[in-house]
Amino acid sequence: MSEIKKFLHESLIANQHILSADMEDKMVVYLELLQQWNRVYNLTAIRDMKESVMLHIIDSLSIRPFLHGTRCIDIGTGAGLPGIPLAITCPDKQFVLLDSNSKKTRFLSQAMYELQLKNVEVVHARCEDFKPVDKFNSILSRAFASIQVMLDTTQHLLAEQGQFLAMKGVYPDAEIQAISTKFHVTAVHKLTIKNLDVERHLVCITQGASIG
């Protein structure tokens, strides 16, 4: 077992993510592909593989228990985060990875091909210009603009009773206060990630009344 595969496996177990060997292998292939493309395309500022395990894979998987429904879209996905780690571990859900940067969507298309992810579609577009036939149960954002900008530019993508999931670092009090009254914050979860000394929060929002 390679050092990085061992570190990934131990980090997943420490954070209570029990994955199949095939899923873990795909995570390693994804990290290696990301490192390879990063030399040319500068997809992420993180170069260290162990940092990538924690800040890309484990961080992305921390929101898996909060995914709603079967159709998810990761807006401003960049290098595929959190979308690709979630798609690998949730084969029963469909994911759209959306980004307006063509270099990033080229990488995502290659990653989707090499990882043989049948539940992923890559879309090169701006949020406000994307008009899919079917809307989404979960709209995810990780490295996006303010929460209100996210809501304004993606509300047309939300299915009835769907939810927005905004990944943030420290508790985003000012952003939450700025959310307009036509949206409803249903929960703010503090995410605990073992062996990663950073603050993480997930803000769950619906349009109008709360889910259920």
Side-chain angles (χ1 to χ4, degrees):
M1 183 183 288
S2 70
E3 183 186 358
I4 201 64
K5 187 173 179 180
K6 183 173 184 287
F7 181 77
L8 171 67
H9 179 75
E10 290 171 351
S11 300
L12 288 166
I13 296 297
N15 285 280
Q16 300 182 321
H17 300 299
I18 311 303
L19 307 186
S20 68
D22 180 61
M23 287 176 182
E24 289 192 16
D25 287 344
K26 284 183 176 178
M27 296 288 190
V28 173
V29 171
Y30 168 65
L31 289 175
E32 289 172 343
L33 195 62
L34 180 56
Q35 189 176 55
Q36 178 187 331
W37 276 62
N38 216 21
R39 295 187 191 110
V40 179
Y41 288 97
N42 196 28
L43 300 170
T44 170
I46 298 167
R47 298 290 192 267
D48 181 80
M49 284 289 272
K50 287 187 177 181
E51 274 191 75
S52 293
V53 166
M54 299 306 299
L55 293 171
H56 291 335
I57 305 300
I58 307 299
D59 191 34
S60 293
L61 293 182
S62 67
I63 71 165
R64 189 166 56 141
F66 307 104
L67 293 180
H68 179 68
T70 58
R71 279 183 56 75
C72 306
I73 182 168
D74 179 8
I75 59 166
T77 184
L81 301 161
I84 285 182
L86 291 170
I88 290 171
T89 57
C90 302
D92 57 322
K93 299 181 188 297
Q94 296 295 313
F95 289 83
V96 168
L97 308 181
L98 183 142
D99 205 281
S100 60
N101 184 306
S102 60
K103 290 179 181 177
K104 290 174 179 174
T105 53
R106 276 202 297 274
F107 165 75
L108 294 171
S109 296
Q110 184 64 27
M112 186 180 71
Y113 171 75
E114 294 203 24
L115 297 169
Q116 297 184 311
L117 294 176
K118 307 297 185 190
N119 60 332
V120 171
E121 178 188 355
V122 176
V123 174
H124 174 223
R126 289 163 52 86
C127 298
E128 48 268 51
D129 299 331
F130 182 44
K131 303 291 194 294
V133 175
D134 298 314
K135 296 191 177 184
F136 298 91
N137 310 115
S138 291
I139 297 179
L140 321 175
S141 74
R142 184 174 186 252
F144 204 65
S146 72
I147 294 174
Q148 187 61 52
V149 169
M150 173 202 181
L151 300 174
D152 289 340
T153 57
T154 66
Q155 59 182 314
H156 67 287
L157 300 173
L158 192 70
E160 190 175 344
Q161 302 224 317
Q163 66 176 357
F164 302 91
L165 298 175
M167 298 176 74
K168 294 290 176 178
V170 297
Y171 187 90
D173 187 58
E175 287 189 50
I176 289 171
Q177 296 301 324
I179 294 173
S180 73
T181 54
K182 65 180 178 178
F183 299 101
H184 178 77
V185 177
T186 58
V188 182
H189 300 283
K190 183 169 185 178
L191 306 172
T192 302
I193 302 174
K194 288 271 183 74
N195 304 320
L196 186 60
D197 189 24
V198 292
E199 274 198 63
R200 287 287 188 267
H201 290 85
L202 179 69
V203 185
C204 303
I205 305 158
T206 59
Q207 206 162 4
S210 60
I211 295 172

